[in-house]
Amino acid sequence: MQRLQQIVGSTIPSQHLHIEDVSEITVGITLINKERLNAAHPETEIFLSKLFRQLEANGKRFLLLKGVDEKSFCSGGDLHHCLSSVKKGEEGINQALRGFYFQFDFVGQIAELKLTQISIWTGIVMGFGVFFSVYGKFRIATETTLFGVPECKIGFYPDNTATYYLPKIPKNVGLYLGLTGDPLIGEEVYHAGIANYILKNNQIPEFVDGLRKVRTDEEVHDLLVRLGAKPQVKELPKLKIIESMFVPTRTIFELIDRLEQNKQIPFVKSALDRIRVNNPLSVYLTFELYKRGPEPTLRDSIKFNQEFVDRFFKICEFEEGVTSLLFTKKKPNWKYKLEELTLEFVNSLICLLYTSDAADDLLCVDLGGRRIIKKK
């Protein structure tokens, strides 16, 4: 079996990644770009896509993913890089879109790996950081985990198979995550059923050391159990409120009315305030996509998102949202107000991805949980 250095050569993007042999059959990948909270740069994604294929071909069995410290596992895609592309005009937008297409395919590749993926979620796990790791077999939360889907905060939508994954999270947690953009914290991520193990940060070195001796998935599980990483699931008060308050309604306005009627509960008021601050079109669209349920398969979701992002990116307010978040630190000036948006308009955006005949009277049929314009 080849040693790791022989497999990867000298092409490692060393400012973003540290790669090591944990054992003969286990490779450890640590995200180390602390300045950007381990945001995934396109160069890193391309390198890892090639590396994963090579690792499988060379007999590796386990892939350990973690952040360099307790602050961040992966904060998502590199928004600085994406915004820089968008500001270059049409060619820059097309470059950004190509990055999205590749990223979505990469998520599919990761989900289909024969390697057993072990992710240690210390700190921020958001956006691409979620879908880079959430389909792995061992998803380990810690007391510092911040698990979120913040796209509505930046004028985008929960992309990259979120339309497949969020509706599958039990007890309406996916809708809460998508609409508010606020994270679950620490043990909430485990008790919500997103992480399937939980450790203390100070247990991570012992766990990683134990991985040097494991040969099977069962031995990884046994190691985690010995460390107490499989406690009994509890009904946390916050999760119980989410379950009752975020039951999908017929319209987004009915859901907001329910939150409004219960805003004497501090957590509900906080969630309502966040939804009102987020991008209105993103909120409405996220609600409708969630309500339709997941695509039949992960690959269907990748195809849907690749086609949808191509159209939505050209009308969304991503540039305004990211500029406000990262640079001006001011409240974004959104184009739409939620009350001005209609279900017909939002549905038309979803239908548009299936045809270029946008003027076809919006004659839609249901197919596999998605509304599709009928070609004449």
Side-chain angles (χ1 to χ4, degrees), residues 216-232:
T216 66
D217 290 1
E218 291 74 18
E219 289 177 356
V220 177
H221 169 77
D222 290 345
L223 172 60
L224 285 163
V225 170
R226 286 197 301 272
L227 292 170
K230 202 71 174 170
Q232 184 175 352

Side-chain angles (χ1 to χ4, degrees), residues 289-306:
L289 290 173
Y290 180 93
K291 198 171 66 172
R292 282 164 172 75
E295 297 87 356
T297 69
L298 185 67
R299 279 293 169 186
D300 289 326
S301 183
I302 290 167
K303 184 174 186 296
F304 170 82
N305 280 275
Q306 286 177 330

Side-chain angles (χ1 to χ4, degrees), residues 298-324:
L298 185 67
R299 279 293 169 186
D300 289 326
S301 183
I302 290 167
K303 184 174 186 296
F304 170 82
N305 280 275
Q306 286 177 330
E307 294 175 339
F308 185 71
V309 75
D310 184 65
R311 295 180 183 272
F312 184 66
F313 197 70
K314 295 171 183 176
I315 66 165
C316 72
E317 298 181 83
F318 175 86
E319 184 174 352
E320 171 68 17
V322 175
T323 299
S324 298

Side-chain angles (χ1 to χ4, degrees), residues 253 280-282 284 336-343 345-346:
F253 302 107
L281 179 57
S282 300
Y284 206 142
Y336 300 100
K337 293 181 179 178
L338 189 62
E339 295 75 16
E340 296 172 347
L341 296 170
T342 65
L343 182 60
F345 173 65
V346 173

Side-chain angles (χ1 to χ4, degrees), residues 170-228:
K171 301 182 178 180
N172 310 317
V173 169
L175 185 57
Y176 164 78
L177 290 171
L179 293 181
T180 67
D182 288 342
L184 297 184
I185 302 169
E187 67 172 351
E188 296 168 357
V189 183
Y190 174 77
H191 293 293
I194 297 169
N196 53 358
Y197 298 89
I198 184 165
L199 290 172
K200 296 290 186 182
N201 284 327
N202 61 15
Q203 293 178 293
I204 292 172
E206 183 180 357
F207 171 65
V208 174
D209 186 61
L211 287 178
R212 302 182 191 282
K213 303 171 186 176
V214 303
R215 308 291 298 181
T216 66
D217 290 1
E218 291 74 18
E219 289 177 356
V220 177
H221 169 77
D222 290 345
L223 172 60
L224 285 163
V225 170
R226 286 197 301 272
L227 292 170

